[in-house]
Amino acid sequence: MSIVSPRAGFLPMPMLVLLLLLATTPFWLARLGLYQYLALEVMVWMLFALGYNLMLGTTGLPSFGHGAFFGTGAYAFGLLQQRVLANVWFDLFGAIVIAAALGAIVGACIAHKRGIYFALLTIAFGQVVWFVAVKWHSVTGGEDGLQNIARPLLPLGFATVNLRSNEALFYFCFALFAIAVIVLWRLVHSPFGRVLAAIRQNEVRAAFVGYDVWLYKWLVITIASAFAGLAGAMFALAQQSAYPNVMSLHSSGFVVMMVLIGGGLVSFWGPAIGALFFILARDVLGAATETWLLWYGLLFVVMVLWQPEGIAGLWQAAARRRNVAARAAAARGLNSSGSAPAQGVPAIGNEALHGPL
């Protein structure tokens, strides 16, 4: 099932609900006994997962080294701030460009591959970037990471905002998140996104009808890397540091699990659901046991075996059952009154309800 809908509004209701919930977290999160940084962390991982799903869910490209671009954005933001210019806009833009450039280089090397060979190459490139981050002590700080990344003043032209305030930082990151989600939504539901969906369905057929499959795959890798770089820069700004562990293979696996558990293969919003579920499961299970990742992994296995469409797939299946039940009830009502079905309302028979007899 494709996540690309032929009819997509500019600001769909799920997006408005998500943005409203995130924007109001400073007013109700503390009343639930949760800390404000949790909302910021969820937002960063949502952005990372939504950008990654441009590859996995939309185009069908399985990447298991995507954490390399997330970490590259984090390190680029910190290094640009400390060694070039301490300006938030410059550092953010630089982080996005550097992560996208790395993605373009990697994409040029692997875009001609597909399936398991593509996935293995993403692991290899991801491990190379992680190894460089660990060993290049003079630049990255090695295993200790890049420390003392500041939260500088945010120049807006008409005013200056101090990002040292957690609330100011949250709303700044929220604004970036909202813009990024709108861009991703429009990208997925554009003609470009429909070509990506065609490549996912059948790469050979997409090439046969005239699309340059290599170019589209290279572009989507580069774009997804840019969004990962933005998420990494926001993460570095929030944590005031950058560490190589976000580039590791297991961190790259986390975003894959978020997308699959959330239902990114069938819904644009699946990665956001999966990121929220992952962070909450980490905190809830982590408070109960140190082996929370074991239980989360078992849950992931059960979900993949029992409901491969994820949480969003469960919701869609329930909605379909409700629609079928409503149409069946309407058909029974029309039959009992002796009237023919209204124009535009198809009659529901046993085959429609239960499949071919």
Side-chain angles (χ1 to χ4, degrees):
M1 182 182 296
S2 175
I3 65 172
V4 179
S5 171
R7 293 175 297 177
F10 184 77
L11 293 175
M13 185 56 65
M15 183 188 297
L16 295 176
V17 171
L18 173 64
L19 295 180
L20 180 62
L21 287 175
L22 287 173
T24 56
T25 51
F27 303 102
W28 54 265
L29 203 61
R31 298 181 181 180
L32 300 178
L34 301 174
Y35 48 97
Q36 181 58 42
Y37 180 78
L38 181 67
L40 178 57
E41 189 175 10
V42 166
M43 197 160 53
V44 169
W45 283 100
M46 278 184 178
L47 176 57
F48 184 29
L50 286 166
Y52 170 73
N53 199 47
L54 198 61
M55 291 180 60
L56 182 60
T58 306
T59 319
L61 300 177
S63 172
F64 297 103
H66 210 65
F69 307 113
F70 183 85
T72 297
Y75 274 103
F77 180 86
L79 289 171
L80 287 172
Q81 181 191 96
Q82 295 180 356
R83 303 193 178 192
V84 181
L85 177 64
N87 180 279
V88 176
W89 300 114
F90 175 83
D91 300 335
L92 275 174
F93 180 75
I96 295 171
V97 169
I98 292 173
L102 178 62
I105 294 171
V106 173
C109 298
I110 68 175
H112 62 288
K113 298 294 183 181
R114 56 182 174 177
I116 187 63
Y117 304 103
F118 181 92
L120 289 174
L121 284 172
T122 62
I123 294 175
F125 277 103
Q127 290 300 99
V128 168
V129 176
W130 170 80
F131 185 81
V132 170
V134 170
K135 296 300 181 181
W136 201 358
H137 292 268
S138 61
V139 175
T140 65
E143 294 183 359
D144 295 330
L146 190 65
Q147 305 290 331
N148 301 319
I149 297 177
R151 296 180 182 177
L153 297 176
L154 175 65
L156 296 176
F158 58 89
T160 301
V161 179
N162 190 349
L163 294 181
R164 292 179 182 177
S165 164
N166 288 331
E167 187 172 334
L169 177 64
F170 171 80
Y171 280 112
F172 172 62
C173 291
F174 171 77
L176 296 176
F177 174 80
I179 294 171
V181 169
I182 293 172
V183 171
L184 280 169
W185 173 262
R186 295 312 310 163
L187 192 63
V188 168
H189 296 91
S190 67
F192 175 79
R194 291 184 175 86
V195 175
L196 299 182
I199 292 173
R200 176 191 172 187
Q201 293 295 325
N202 194 313
E203 185 174 324
V204 175
R205 187 176 297 172
F208 182 76
V209 298
Y211 293 113
D212 189 340
V213 172
W214 183 92
L215 178 61
Y216 277 94
K217 289 169 67 174
W218 177 80
L219 284 172
V220 77
I221 294 169
T222 303
I223 295 170
S225 302
F227 281 101
L230 173 60
M234 291 166 56
F235 188 73
L237 187 60
Q239 290 218 328
Q240 297 184 269
S241 55
Y243 298 98
N245 65 333
V246 298
M247 298 180 171
S248 64
L249 184 59
H250 76 270
S251 292
S252 297
F254 286 159
V255 72
V256 178
M257 295 170 74
M258 292 175 191
V259 169
L260 294 180
I261 285 185
L265 299 183
V266 298
S267 172
F268 176 87
W269 304 107
I273 298 171
L276 176 62
F277 184 83
F278 176 83
I279 298 299
L280 292 180
R282 182 200 65 185
D283 282 19
V284 173
L285 294 177
T289 174
E290 294 181 357
T291 58
W292 70 271
L293 197 53
L294 168 66
W295 300 104
Y296 184 83
L298 292 174
L299 180 63
F300 174 74
V301 171
V302 171
M303 179 67 76
V304 170
L305 292 177
W306 173 63
Q307 181 64 33
E309 292 84 9
I311 299 173
L314 279 174
W315 179 272
Q316 291 179 353
R320 285 194 296 269
R321 286 193 296 269
R322 287 195 301 268
N323 290 337
V324 170
R327 290 180 181 179
R332 286 194 298 269
L334 289 171
N335 291 334
S336 63
S337 64
S339 302
Q343 185 176 2
V345 180
I348 305 297
N350 286 334
E351 182 171 342
L353 290 174
H354 307 292
L357 297 177

